[in-house]
Amino acid sequence: QVQLVESGGGLVQAGGSLRLSCKGSGRTFNNYKVGWFRQAPGKEREFVAGINGNGYATYITDSLKGRFTISRDNTKNTVGLQMNSLKPEDTAVYYCAAKHFSNSDALSGASTYPYWGQGTQVTVSS
């Protein structure tokens, strides 16, 4: 089992940047794939980015490529989401989620993740 805690959210003006961090518990965090999801008010939760256990494979949803990047530091049990050129439509609660590397389901499938953080609010003002 792994516990996740997100941090780094806040209020930023359009065009600005934020870096979110997801810290996982346990000595085997590198055995877990991690995904970032977001949910805006009145909208469904959507996939943002994912990364495999060793950090060598990363995925960004097409609409966010070029602005968002994902990385991880397994020595610190953290997965980061760097968000640049933020837009008001990026406003949402951002969640990180984890699943064991043996789970071969697509990274983008929210229902395939058994472990979730509490979320961190990102608000982008125009």
Side-chain angles (χ1 to χ4, degrees):
Q1 187 169 350
V2 62
Q3 294 180 325
L4 304 170
V5 178
E6 302 97 335
S7 61
L11 174 64
V12 64
Q13 287 188 334
S17 297
L18 279 176
R19 182 175 177 82
L20 305 183
S21 182
C22 172
K23 186 167 180 63
S25 64
R27 295 178 295 173
T28 60
F29 187 62
N30 60 317
N31 285 344
Y32 290 84
K33 304 174 184 179
V34 174
W36 281 98
F37 295 80
R38 67 185 184 183
Q39 188 165 19
K43 294 187 177 181
E44 293 186 354
R45 190 167 297 189
E46 64 173 345
F47 174 73
V48 173
I51 190 166
N52 71 344
N54 60 19
Y56 291 157
T58 62
Y59 306 87
I60 307 290
T61 197
D62 287 345
S63 62
L64 299 176
K65 286 180 179 177
R67 295 197 298 123
F68 287 21
T69 57
I70 187 171
S71 61
R72 71 188 295 161
D73 183 347
N74 285 333
T75 66
K76 299 179 180 178
N77 279 12
T78 59
V79 173
L81 182 69
Q82 179 68 40
M83 306 184 296
N84 298 326
S85 302
L86 284 162
K87 304 175 181 180
E89 51 264 43
D90 294 317
T91 295
V93 178
Y94 284 71
Y95 300 89
C96 67
K99 59 182 176 180
H100 196 260
F101 74 88
S102 60
N103 185 320
S104 60
D105 293 326
L107 283 173
S108 58
S111 64
T112 68
Y113 290 83
Y115 308 112
W116 289 82
Q118 81 289 350
T120 185
Q121 176 71 47
V122 171
T123 303
V124 184
S125 63
S126 57

